Amino acid sequence: MNKPSYPHPIIAREGWPFLAGIVLVSIAVSFWSGAASIPLWIISIFVLQFFRDPARVAPEGEFNVLSPADGRIVAVEEVRDTYADRDSLKISVFMNVFNVHSNRAPVDGSVVSINYFAGQFFNASLDKASLENERNATVLRTKQGHIVTAVQVAGLVAKRILCYAKPGDSLYAGQRYGFIRFGSRVDVYLPPGSRPRVAIGDKVHATSTVLAELPESPAQTQE
Protein backbone atom coordinates (compact mmCIF):
# COMPACT_ATOMS: atom_id res chain seq x y z
CA MET A 1 0.00 0.00 0.00
CA ASN A 2 1.21 3.55 -0.62
CA LYS A 3 -0.11 7.00 0.18
CA PRO A 4 0.18 9.26 -2.87
CA SER A 5 1.40 12.80 -2.28
CA TYR A 6 -1.70 14.86 -1.56
CA PRO A 7 -0.85 18.47 -0.63
CA HIS A 8 -4.42 19.62 -0.14
CA PRO A 9 -6.50 20.59 2.90
CA ILE A 10 -9.08 18.12 4.15
CA ILE A 11 -11.81 20.55 3.01
CA ALA A 12 -11.58 21.12 -0.75
CA ARG A 13 -10.65 24.66 -1.71
CA GLU A 14 -13.58 24.68 -4.17
CA GLY A 15 -15.89 24.65 -1.15
CA TRP A 16 -14.31 27.41 0.90
CA PRO A 17 -16.54 30.25 -0.45
CA PHE A 18 -19.70 28.15 -0.01
CA LEU A 19 -18.76 27.05 3.50
CA ALA A 20 -17.66 30.51 4.61
CA GLY A 21 -20.86 32.06 3.26
CA ILE A 22 -23.31 29.67 4.92
CA VAL A 23 -21.42 29.69 8.24
CA LEU A 24 -21.39 33.50 8.35
CA VAL A 25 -25.11 33.60 7.60
CA SER A 26 -25.76 30.94 10.27
CA ILE A 27 -23.81 32.93 12.87
CA ALA A 28 -25.63 36.15 11.99
CA VAL A 29 -29.07 34.50 12.22
CA SER A 30 -28.06 32.84 15.52
CA PHE A 31 -27.74 36.27 17.13
CA TRP A 32 -31.29 37.05 16.04
CA SER A 33 -32.92 33.67 16.72
CA GLY A 34 -31.31 30.41 17.74
CA ALA A 35 -34.28 28.39 16.54
CA ALA A 36 -34.33 30.07 13.12
CA SER A 37 -30.64 29.34 12.65
CA ILE A 38 -31.00 25.56 13.08
CA PRO A 39 -31.84 24.85 9.40
CA LEU A 40 -28.89 27.00 8.36
CA TRP A 41 -26.50 25.08 10.62
CA ILE A 42 -27.81 21.83 9.13
CA ILE A 43 -27.04 23.19 5.66
CA SER A 44 -23.59 24.21 6.91
CA ILE A 45 -22.91 20.64 8.03
CA PHE A 46 -24.08 19.34 4.64
CA VAL A 47 -21.77 21.74 2.79
CA LEU A 48 -18.89 20.74 5.08
CA GLN A 49 -19.35 17.03 4.38
CA PHE A 50 -19.86 17.59 0.64
CA PHE A 51 -16.55 19.38 0.22
CA ARG A 52 -14.44 17.06 2.39
CA ASP A 53 -11.34 15.94 0.51
CA PRO A 54 -9.35 13.32 2.43
CA ALA A 55 -6.03 11.79 1.42
CA ARG A 56 -6.22 8.10 0.54
CA VAL A 57 -3.94 5.05 0.53
CA ALA A 58 -3.46 3.36 -2.86
CA PRO A 59 -2.94 -0.41 -3.33
CA GLU A 60 0.38 -1.44 -4.91
CA GLY A 61 0.27 -2.72 -8.49
CA GLU A 62 1.90 -1.58 -11.72
CA PHE A 63 -1.22 -2.30 -13.80
CA ASN A 64 -3.88 -1.19 -11.32
CA VAL A 65 -6.57 1.25 -12.42
CA LEU A 66 -7.67 3.20 -9.35
CA SER A 67 -11.15 4.59 -8.87
CA PRO A 68 -11.15 8.30 -9.79
CA ALA A 69 -14.07 9.02 -7.46
CA ASP A 70 -16.11 7.85 -4.50
CA GLY A 71 -19.48 6.33 -5.27
CA ARG A 72 -21.24 3.30 -6.69
CA ILE A 73 -20.51 1.29 -9.83
CA VAL A 74 -23.34 1.74 -12.36
CA ALA A 75 -21.74 0.28 -15.51
CA VAL A 76 -19.16 -2.34 -16.45
CA GLU A 77 -19.46 -2.91 -20.18
CA GLU A 78 -17.66 -3.09 -23.50
CA VAL A 79 -18.28 0.06 -25.56
CA ARG A 80 -16.64 2.34 -28.09
CA ASP A 81 -14.42 5.01 -26.56
CA THR A 82 -15.23 7.91 -28.87
CA TYR A 83 -12.69 10.17 -27.14
CA ALA A 84 -9.72 7.93 -28.04
CA ASP A 85 -11.41 6.23 -31.04
CA ARG A 86 -11.01 2.62 -29.93
CA ASP A 87 -12.96 -0.28 -28.45
CA SER A 88 -12.83 -0.30 -24.67
CA LEU A 89 -14.08 -1.55 -21.33
CA LYS A 90 -16.08 1.18 -19.61
CA ILE A 91 -16.47 1.33 -15.84
CA SER A 92 -18.71 4.09 -14.47
CA VAL A 93 -18.77 5.49 -10.93
CA PHE A 94 -21.88 7.42 -9.86
CA MET A 95 -21.45 10.00 -7.10
CA ASN A 96 -24.41 11.13 -5.01
CA VAL A 97 -24.44 14.33 -2.97
CA PHE A 98 -23.07 12.52 0.09
CA ASN A 99 -19.92 11.25 -1.66
CA VAL A 100 -16.53 12.96 -1.87
CA HIS A 101 -16.51 14.81 -5.21
CA SER A 102 -12.78 15.33 -5.63
CA ASN A 103 -11.54 13.48 -8.73
CA ARG A 104 -8.23 11.59 -8.79
CA ALA A 105 -6.16 10.26 -11.69
CA PRO A 106 -6.83 6.52 -12.22
CA VAL A 107 -3.29 5.70 -13.46
CA ASP A 108 0.22 7.08 -13.75
CA GLY A 109 0.40 8.69 -17.18
CA SER A 110 0.85 11.69 -19.40
CA VAL A 111 -2.14 13.73 -20.55
CA VAL A 112 -2.66 13.20 -24.29
CA SER A 113 -5.72 15.42 -24.66
CA ILE A 114 -8.51 17.14 -22.75
CA ASN A 115 -11.83 17.92 -24.40
CA TYR A 116 -14.87 19.65 -22.91
CA PHE A 117 -18.38 19.02 -24.25
CA ALA A 118 -21.42 21.12 -23.38
CA GLY A 119 -24.57 19.09 -22.83
CA GLN A 120 -27.64 18.29 -20.79
CA PHE A 121 -28.02 17.63 -17.04
CA PHE A 122 -29.81 14.28 -16.88
CA ASN A 123 -29.53 12.14 -13.75
CA ALA A 124 -25.90 10.95 -13.87
CA SER A 125 -26.88 7.39 -12.96
CA LEU A 126 -28.61 6.98 -16.35
CA ASP A 127 -26.70 5.41 -19.27
CA LYS A 128 -27.50 8.32 -21.59
CA ALA A 129 -25.69 10.72 -19.28
CA SER A 130 -22.33 9.41 -20.57
CA LEU A 131 -22.88 10.85 -24.04
CA GLU A 132 -25.56 13.53 -23.57
CA ASN A 133 -24.59 15.38 -20.37
CA GLU A 134 -22.01 18.10 -19.96
CA ARG A 135 -18.66 16.33 -19.67
CA ASN A 136 -14.89 16.68 -19.74
CA ALA A 137 -12.72 13.89 -21.19
CA THR A 138 -9.08 13.42 -20.17
CA VAL A 139 -7.10 10.91 -22.25
CA LEU A 140 -4.00 9.48 -20.53
CA ARG A 141 -1.13 7.34 -21.82
CA THR A 142 0.70 5.17 -19.27
CA LYS A 143 4.45 4.55 -19.46
CA GLN A 144 3.66 1.04 -20.73
CA GLY A 145 1.64 2.54 -23.59
CA HIS A 146 -1.92 1.89 -22.37
CA ILE A 147 -4.58 4.47 -23.20
CA VAL A 148 -6.96 5.28 -20.33
CA THR A 149 -9.75 7.84 -20.67
CA ALA A 150 -11.38 9.44 -17.63
CA VAL A 151 -14.56 11.41 -18.31
CA GLN A 152 -16.06 13.75 -15.72
CA VAL A 153 -19.82 13.86 -16.31
CA ALA A 154 -22.14 16.48 -14.82
CA GLY A 155 -25.31 15.26 -13.12
CA LEU A 156 -28.84 16.44 -12.45
CA VAL A 157 -27.79 19.31 -10.20
CA ALA A 158 -24.09 19.54 -11.02
CA LYS A 159 -23.42 22.80 -12.83
CA ARG A 160 -19.64 23.02 -12.78
CA ILE A 161 -16.97 20.57 -13.89
CA LEU A 162 -13.47 21.59 -12.84
CA CYS A 163 -10.34 20.07 -14.42
CA TYR A 164 -6.88 21.31 -13.52
CA ALA A 165 -4.83 19.04 -15.81
CA LYS A 166 -3.49 20.21 -19.18
CA PRO A 167 -2.23 18.33 -22.26
CA GLY A 168 1.38 17.32 -21.70
CA ASP A 169 1.05 17.12 -17.90
CA SER A 170 2.25 14.00 -16.10
CA LEU A 171 -0.17 12.68 -13.47
CA TYR A 172 0.43 10.02 -10.85
CA ALA A 173 -2.24 7.53 -9.80
CA GLY A 174 -4.34 9.07 -7.06
CA GLN A 175 -3.36 12.65 -7.93
CA ARG A 176 -6.16 15.17 -7.54
CA TYR A 177 -6.93 16.60 -10.97
CA GLY A 178 -10.50 17.89 -10.79
CA PHE A 179 -13.78 18.37 -8.96
CA ILE A 180 -17.49 18.19 -9.85
CA ARG A 181 -20.00 20.11 -7.78
CA PHE A 182 -23.19 18.50 -6.48
CA GLY A 183 -23.82 15.02 -7.90
CA SER A 184 -22.22 13.48 -10.97
CA ARG A 185 -20.29 10.49 -12.38
CA VAL A 186 -16.92 9.55 -13.81
CA ASP A 187 -16.59 7.11 -16.74
CA VAL A 188 -13.28 5.27 -17.15
CA TYR A 189 -12.52 3.73 -20.56
CA LEU A 190 -9.86 1.01 -20.57
CA PRO A 191 -8.15 -0.98 -23.32
CA PRO A 192 -9.66 -4.35 -24.35
CA GLY A 193 -8.25 -7.15 -22.24
CA SER A 194 -8.45 -5.15 -19.02
CA ARG A 195 -9.73 -7.24 -16.12
CA PRO A 196 -12.49 -5.60 -14.03
CA ARG A 197 -12.17 -5.93 -10.26
CA VAL A 198 -15.59 -4.45 -9.47
CA ALA A 199 -19.20 -5.22 -10.35
CA ILE A 200 -22.37 -3.14 -10.77
CA GLY A 201 -23.64 -2.01 -7.38
CA ASP A 202 -20.25 -2.07 -5.64
CA LYS A 203 -19.31 0.91 -3.51
CA VAL A 204 -15.88 2.31 -4.34
CA HIS A 205 -13.52 4.91 -2.92
CA ALA A 206 -11.25 7.22 -4.89
CA THR A 207 -7.62 6.04 -4.99
CA SER A 208 -8.08 3.19 -2.50
CA THR A 209 -10.33 0.97 -4.70
CA VAL A 210 -8.90 -0.87 -7.72
CA LEU A 211 -11.43 -0.76 -10.57
CA ALA A 212 -9.51 -3.01 -12.95
CA GLU A 213 -6.12 -4.34 -14.01
CA LEU A 214 -4.65 -3.33 -17.35
CA PRO A 215 -3.34 -6.04 -19.71
CA GLU A 216 0.42 -6.52 -19.47
CA SER A 217 0.93 -5.99 -23.21
CA PRO A 218 -0.77 -2.86 -24.56
CA ALA A 219 0.50 -3.61 -28.07
CA GLN A 220 -1.87 -6.56 -28.28
CA THR A 221 -4.93 -4.51 -27.30
CA GLN A 222 -4.62 -1.32 -29.32
CA GLU A 223 -6.09 -1.00 -32.78
Side-chain angles (χ1 to χ4, degrees):
M1 306 292 281
N2 68 90
K3 192 171 184 177
S5 175
Y6 201 65
H8 301 283
I10 195 169
I11 302 301
R13 59 183 179 271
E14 293 86 354
W16 292 354
F18 296 94
L19 185 60
I22 189 62
V23 168
L24 288 174
V25 171
S26 299
I27 292 173
V29 173
S30 294
F31 285 113
W32 170 65
S33 170
S37 71
I38 292 176
L40 294 173
W41 284 113
I42 292 174
I43 295 173
S44 297
I45 293 172
F46 170 78
V47 173
L48 178 66
Q49 72 82 33
F50 180 88
F51 286 105
R52 67 195 189 282
D53 194 10
R56 295 282 173 74
V57 174
E60 299 284 359
E62 182 180 10
F63 297 102
N64 284 347
V65 179
L66 308 182
S67 179
D70 286 15
R72 176 173 55 87
I73 301 297
V74 293
V76 180
E77 57 186 344
E78 294 181 358
V79 300
R80 188 73 181 174
D81 175 5
T82 59
Y83 310 103
D85 193 23
R86 47 87 188 253
D87 292 330
S88 69
L89 171 70
K90 182 181 81 170
I91 301 178
S92 300
V93 181
F94 170 71
M95 295 172 277
N96 64 38
V97 294
F98 298 105
N99 293 131
V100 173
H101 278 59
S102 176
N103 299 145
R104 330 285 177 98
V107 293
D108 294 330
S110 58
V111 179
V112 177
S113 65
I114 295 178
N115 291 290
Y116 170 82
F117 302 85
Q120 304 300 315
F121 295 94
F122 296 118
N123 188 320
S125 65
L126 301 176
D127 289 341
K128 65 180 179 180
S130 289
L131 297 177
E132 297 187 36
N133 278 20
E134 178 187 11
R135 58 202 182 278
N136 188 78
T138 301
V139 179
L140 300 166
R141 183 186 299 276
T142 70
K143 64 181 180 181
Q144 296 88 0
H146 299 97
I147 296 296
V148 175
T149 305
V151 185
Q152 299 165 283
V153 183
L156 187 63
V157 294
K159 301 300 181 184
R160 187 75 186 276
I161 294 175
L162 302 173
C163 179
Y164 305 118
K166 302 181 298 297
D169 285 354
S170 292
L171 303 181
Y172 57 82
Q175 180 176 345
R176 185 187 201 277
Y177 82 98
F179 199 94
I180 314 177
R181 291 179 184 155
F182 304 115
S184 45
R185 78 190 263 166
V186 178
D187 296 328
V188 182
Y189 296 85
L190 306 173
S194 299
R195 297 177 293 278
R197 295 274 298 275
V198 294
I200 293 176
D202 287 355
K203 291 183 178 180
V204 297
H205 299 280
T207 302
S208 57
T209 299
V210 176
L211 293 184
E213 293 178 358
L214 296 170
E216 294 186 6
S217 178
Q220 297 177 359
T221 66
Q222 303 298 320
E223 295 184 343

